[in-house]
Amino acid sequence: MEEDRGLVLVAEDEQAIADLERLYLARAGYGVHVERDGAAALEQIRRLRPVAIVLDVGLPGLDGVEICRRLREADDWTPVIFVTARDDEVDRVLGLELGADDYLTKPFSPRELVARIRSILRRTAGPQAPRVLSVGTVRLDLGRRTAEAEGLPVQLTAMEFDLLAHLMSQPGRVFSREQLLAAVWGQADYGGGRTVDVHVAQLRAKLGAASPLRTTRGVGYSVAADPAGTERRGLP
């Protein structure tokens, strides 16, 4: 087993799935705490402060959606991976809008779960050059992974931060959805372009009038310093 990588809290009411997740995460070097009830999971998340949360949507007590909502409302931005038995785009979009960082549909490979957690945590806490990106009044500190808009702090999920950083690294360049999926999520076909659209919509909502995000109809997204810009909302 690899060195300890921190505690992952698994909220899963199906014993067989929870045991499999525990096994593979432990093999990968993570400590694992399992809860089967939503209310107990929320309590333990607040007590144990895990590095990541694997959250079944259909938990008894409090469901996964409500747990994620309460965490984000409390400014707890611990990375969350939703797990669900339903392959429904509405479910995926809802999870992402609530601030989830990733989404898996049952049945899934436990190796894929471990890979997703590693990827999220690498982006969140991995060594990075102390570099700052600025476009207009939006500022990203890549070393500290903090965001500001018009001088005020903005809370972003790991995926939101990485998406915005990728766009801000090349102001003016228009990236297609497929390019962004490959660069930020690491999978060219992950969840379809709707995944990118949801994250862009969330960034716009959080950044408000300071948002440098621009849509080029039928092509993709970019950032520009001009607040008026060349915004063409051809994409959702």
Side-chain angles (χ1 to χ4, degrees):
M1 187 168 65
E2 302 176 27
E3 71 278 5
D4 179 61
R5 297 173 179 271
L7 178 72
V8 175
L9 188 139
V10 173
E12 172 61 65
D13 63 327
E14 294 187 45
Q15 179 73 48
I17 294 176
D19 288 346
L20 198 58
E21 291 173 345
R22 184 201 296 273
L23 174 64
Y24 276 80
L25 287 167
R27 283 180 177 175
Y30 297 98
V32 184
H33 180 89
V34 175
E35 290 291 343
R36 299 185 189 176
D37 173 84
L42 181 59
E43 179 182 350
Q44 293 305 314
I45 289 167
R46 290 170 171 167
R47 184 178 73 86
L48 298 174
R49 298 295 180 185
V51 297
I53 304 163
V54 180
L55 194 55
D56 182 33
V57 171
L59 287 170
L62 286 177
D63 64 25
V65 170
E66 181 61 23
I67 291 173
C68 187
R69 190 195 311 276
R70 293 190 187 187
L71 291 173
R72 297 322 189 214
E73 286 178 350
D75 281 336
D76 184 336
W77 294 91
T78 305
V80 169
I81 295 181
F82 269 143
V83 173
T84 181
R86 294 165 54 187
D87 186 13
D88 190 321
E89 184 182 42
V90 175
D91 286 346
R92 291 197 300 271
V93 169
L94 176 60
L96 295 171
E97 287 178 342
L98 286 172
D101 296 276
D102 214 336
Y103 201 103
L104 285 170
T105 302
K106 299 175 184 178
F108 57 86
S109 164
R111 291 188 178 90
E112 176 70 7
L113 172 64
V114 172
R116 298 283 183 94
I117 290 175
R118 280 177 170 164
S119 178
I120 289 171
L121 293 180
R122 184 164 54 245
R123 286 190 293 266
T124 303
Q128 300 183 29
R131 196 158 59 93
V132 174
L133 298 176
S134 295
V135 176
T137 60
V138 175
R139 182 177 182 274
L140 295 184
D141 187 319
L142 301 185
R144 296 176 179 172
R145 292 188 66 85
T146 57
E148 293 181 0
E150 299 181 332
L152 298 175
V154 179
Q155 294 287 349
L156 302 179
T157 68
M159 285 295 188
E160 289 167 352
F161 187 97
D162 292 334
L163 175 59
L164 185 57
H166 187 74
L167 290 165
M168 287 177 61
S169 68
Q170 298 185 60
R173 176 180 172 182
V174 180
F175 291 89
S176 70
R177 292 169 173 174
E178 290 74 19
Q179 288 171 330
L180 292 171
L181 286 167
V184 179
W185 282 266
Q187 299 184 52
D189 62 348
Y190 172 74
R194 182 63 175 153
T195 298
V196 178
D197 297 340
V198 169
H199 280 78
V200 168
Q202 288 299 106
L203 283 169
R204 281 178 169 144
K206 291 182 178 183
L207 297 173
S211 173
L213 291 157
R214 303 290 176 260
T215 301
T216 300
R217 186 184 301 276
V219 182
Y221 297 106
S222 62
V223 296
D226 179 7
T230 57
E231 186 79 23
R232 288 169 286 176
R233 296 180 181 269
L235 298 177

